[in-house]
Amino acid sequence: MHLARAQKATGAEAVETVPPAVDLVLGASACCLACVFTNPLEVVKTRLQLQGELQARGTYPQPYRGFMASVAAVARADGLWGLQKGLAAGLLYQGLMNGVRFYCYSLACQAGLTQQPGGTVVAGAVAGALGAFVGSPAYLIKTQLQAQTVAAMAVGHQHNHQTVLGALETIWRQQGLLGLWQGVGGAVPRVMVGSAAQLATFTSAKAWVQKQQWLPEDSWLVALAGGMISSIAVVVAMTPFDVVSTRLYNQPVDRAGRGQLYGGLTDCMVKIWRQEGPLALYKGLGPAYLRLGPHTILSMLFWDELRKLAGRAQHQGT
């Protein structure tokens, strides 16, 4: 059975199906659309997460303070277009990661795995891990481009890339093919946690909203409400892994491609906890929610609505 959405129709169940290949295209498209609107929040979040790296609180300058002040700081330093730094790499990442993620999740639904106890969580986590691995080089470039700014406002290591292709060429030349997957050890658990929380809570939240019958069952507001509930779970679960992932991707490396600050996920998390305090694992939480919240809401809403259209088109064609 294909990934299905059951709808009540004249007292009976009408099922619209969407093949996994269609879900790949729809999922990637939906998340790319959302990325255009949320990328400025990603820039601010990246700067906040790198600020004061491995330094005790109060011992370093803070060019970025709070969300609105940080937006203004980025705009002053890099211009308004600076708020869209890394957009091309971000779109590439969203297309690769979410295309794979939604495709694999759709295959799991097709196989009936999500109907098993805990199936949605496991399927979401595995799909997210595969997507994160495929999209990791794009996220690496995105993070490094978004961290770059003028010296007075710089936080974290500055890689001085000019373009996405230039960054790929530099990393390939200096570190080889494996260098493009630097930091993937932090990205995979990050997206596993976020994907499991998103896909599992969106499905259940949307079903709960439908059950309450507050809104018309076919209304886009049902998906919107489900996305709003899902976004809270995603941000709470994902932010510590997001901070660690940003640090691993942006750290300088030696000639052998080994990180000069962190040895991996666990080492990074322990060093942050010890040197910056446990709350540092939630650095950039405000922008993280303002970014992940709308991104989750918009991407799940776009995906849900596009799947409705695709399902109806397929139903009419048969």
Side-chain angles (χ1 to χ4, degrees):
M1 181 180 69
H2 292 302
L3 180 61
R5 181 174 58 83
Q7 293 182 304
K8 292 181 182 177
T10 63
E13 293 273 320
V15 180
E16 295 175 358
T17 61
V18 177
V22 175
D23 253 330
L24 182 154
V25 176
L26 298 184
S29 301
C31 293
C32 284
L33 284 172
C35 179
V36 174
F37 296 101
T38 60
N39 190 66
L41 300 169
E42 184 76 7
V43 174
V44 172
K45 183 210 70 173
T46 298
R47 303 278 178 92
L48 285 169
Q49 289 178 342
L50 290 171
Q51 184 169 254
E53 186 170 18
L54 297 183
Q55 299 178 65
R57 189 171 181 175
T59 64
Y60 54 86
Q62 291 183 274
Y64 306 101
R65 294 174 178 269
F67 172 65
M68 292 305 298
S70 297
V71 170
V74 172
R76 283 195 304 269
D78 304 317
L80 287 177
W81 185 242
L83 290 167
Q84 285 289 14
K85 274 194 171 183
L87 178 60
L91 291 172
L92 178 61
Y93 170 73
Q94 293 294 337
L96 289 171
M97 191 274 285
N98 285 295
V100 172
R101 183 168 72 103
F102 280 100
Y103 178 76
C104 293
Y105 187 76
S106 189
L107 285 177
C109 292
Q110 183 182 26
L113 298 177
T114 56
Q115 303 303 313
Q116 305 301 318
T120 54
V121 174
V122 173
V126 173
L130 293 171
F133 183 82
V134 172
S136 187
Y139 199 93
L140 169 70
I141 302 305
K142 179 195 75 70
T143 300
Q144 295 182 359
L145 286 172
Q146 289 176 341
Q148 291 180 187
T149 185
V150 296
M153 301 294 289
V155 290
H157 184 71
Q158 301 291 291
H159 292 269
N160 300 317
H161 300 308
Q162 298 301 314
T163 64
V164 174
L165 289 178
L168 288 170
E169 181 184 357
T170 298
I171 294 170
W172 180 292
R173 187 176 64 252
Q174 294 179 356
Q175 303 170 40
L177 179 63
L178 291 181
L180 294 172
W181 271 267
Q182 171 199 331
V184 71
V188 168
R190 169 188 176 272
V191 179
M192 282 182 71
V193 170
S195 181
Q198 183 188 64
L199 292 171
T201 57
F202 176 74
T203 302
S204 57
K206 184 165 170 271
W208 180 78
V209 171
Q210 287 175 325
K211 186 177 180 181
Q212 304 309 308
Q213 297 184 336
W214 294 331
L215 301 165
E217 189 174 3
D218 252 354
S219 173
W220 61 272
L221 291 171
V222 174
L224 179 66
M228 291 176 68
I229 296 170
S230 175
S231 66
I232 297 172
V234 171
V235 172
V236 171
M238 195 174 179
T239 297
F241 295 94
D242 196 39
V243 172
V244 170
S245 184
T246 297
R247 300 285 182 89
L248 291 175
Y249 274 129
N250 195 65
Q251 70 173 327
V253 297
D254 61 21
R255 291 184 177 275
R258 293 186 294 266
Q260 295 183 6
L261 298 177
Y262 312 105
L265 173 70
T266 303
D267 181 56
C268 182
M269 195 168 284
V270 169
K271 284 181 177 177
I272 292 173
W273 183 291
R274 288 178 176 173
Q275 299 185 39
E276 301 176 50
L279 290 180
L281 291 169
Y282 279 91
K283 275 188 175 181
L285 178 62
Y289 178 74
L290 290 174
R291 180 261 172 194
L292 283 171
H295 190 278
T296 298
I297 293 166
L298 290 171
S299 60
M300 299 311 286
L301 175 61
F302 290 154
W303 176 57
D304 196 67
E305 290 300 307
L306 288 170
R307 288 187 67 253
K308 286 180 185 178
L309 293 173
R312 287 169 187 162
Q314 183 183 7
H315 181 70
Q316 290 171 359
T318 57

